[in-house]
Amino acid sequence: MTPTTDTTTPHATPDNPRLTVRGEAHLDVEPDIARIGITITARGTDRRHTLADLTHRNTLALDLLKTHGTAVEHIETGHFSITPELGRHGRTERVRAYLGHVHITAELADFTTLGELTTALADLELTRVDGPTWDLRPDSPAHATARRQAVHEALRRAHEYAEALGTTLTALLELTDTGTDDQYPTPQGARFRRAAFSTAPTDDEPAPLDLEPQRQHLHAQVTARFTMAPPRL
């Protein structure tokens, strides 16, 4: 059976019946990557000192990420800001402090170090860690597997309908792919935050977190249109 383009009979007729079916596939697969977000904060009464403090803490976080080598596949620095906080002084407003933020996103493919890295980052001063969120790569073989299963399901259903009518399929007219998508909403993972503006040292290192990857649910759907031999009704 081969795809054809019907130019002689634009519409279905009793002598040229058509069949449209839908095929779906659902897969639960392990994720390929984990993402964590790191937000670093600094606050002070002097703008330059606040910026220097923020730069120092940002360097500490980046160095910590880089110590994990190839386990961290991608590091990206996002939003950065230094914002004055205003306070009233008599009838005028004055800057009472400066608040700085910088956001880093890291992607990991080696999940064995994820718990250790996340805990170490969360232990840094004035650092918040959000995540992890789990995902598949765009070129993950799971996407192709889901699409193939959806096509096989559409073909199976089409043959079943044709058999029920006492006829056979003759040609594929059209195959529409609606794509694969991740059906799980990405939940907000564990969030960690050290006590605000705490500078108290600690001798005990926190135990690494045990973070289990969340399986990804893939859904693929296709619509197929066939021509059939006239059924024997």
Side-chain angles (χ1 to χ4, degrees), residues 8-29:
T8 57
T9 9
H11 304 291
T13 66
D15 293 329
N16 186 42
R18 297 184 181 181
L19 173 67
T20 302
V21 296
R22 184 178 63 187
E24 292 185 274
H26 296 270
L27 289 181
D28 286 325
V29 296

Side-chain angles (χ1 to χ4, degrees), residues 42 91 131 147 149 160 196:
R91 295 184 177 181
R147 287 191 287 265
Q149 289 189 8
E160 288 178 351

Side-chain angles (χ1 to χ4, degrees), residues 15-229:
D15 293 329
N16 186 42
R18 297 184 181 181
L19 173 67
T20 302
V21 296
R22 184 178 63 187
E24 292 185 274
H26 296 270
L27 289 181
D28 286 325
V29 296
E30 293 290 338
D32 295 325
I33 55 176
R35 293 187 184 90
I36 54 175
I38 306 108
T39 303
I40 301 158
T41 303
R43 188 176 186 273
T45 56
D46 182 84
R47 186 181 184 90
R48 289 188 177 180
H49 289 170
T50 302
L51 180 58
D53 196 13
L54 183 64
T55 301
H56 174 68
R57 292 173 185 168
N58 180 65
T59 301
L60 289 178
L62 290 175
D63 288 345
L64 181 56
L65 288 167
K66 292 174 183 178
T67 60
H68 285 71
T70 57
V72 181
E73 289 193 342
H74 181 70
I75 303 172
E76 181 178 282
T77 300
H79 181 72
F80 163 80
S81 67
I82 292 284
T83 307
E85 293 183 344
L86 300 178
R88 296 201 66 83
H89 183 75
R91 295 184 177 181
T92 61
E93 289 185 341
R94 296 179 57 183
V95 176
R96 63 179 183 182
Y98 293 91
L99 183 64
H101 294 286
V102 63
H103 184 77
I104 302 170
T105 301
E107 290 186 0
L108 294 87
D110 183 358
F111 303 153
T112 59
T113 62
L114 179 60
E116 175 189 348
L117 175 60
T118 303
T119 305
L121 286 167
D123 197 44
L124 296 177
E125 186 178 359
L126 293 178
T127 300
R128 189 185 76 198
V129 181
D130 294 286
T133 56
W134 313 92
D135 204 356
L136 292 172
R137 301 182 192 278
D139 59 351
S140 170
H143 295 291
T145 300
R147 287 191 287 265
R148 282 195 297 269
Q149 289 189 8
V151 171
H152 293 163
E153 172 65 11
L155 188 59
R156 182 189 64 80
R157 295 179 68 179
H159 279 297
E160 288 178 351
Y161 281 120
E163 183 181 357
L165 291 169
T167 187
T168 58
L169 304 176
T170 56
L172 172 66
L173 292 178
E174 183 179 29
L175 181 69
T176 303
D177 178 15
T178 59
T180 57
D181 58 347
D182 182 355
Q183 294 296 295
Y184 283 160
T186 305
Q188 181 173 316
R191 173 174 289 187
F192 313 95
R193 180 186 243 169
R194 190 164 178 176
F197 313 118
S198 170
T199 57
T202 176
D203 296 329
D204 298 328
E205 292 186 1
L209 289 162
D210 184 11
L211 300 174
E212 292 295 329
Q214 183 190 42
R215 293 178 67 84
Q216 302 298 291
H217 184 81
L218 283 178
H219 171 233
Q221 180 175 301
V222 297
T223 301
R225 296 176 62 238
F226 300 90
T227 57
M228 301 185 300

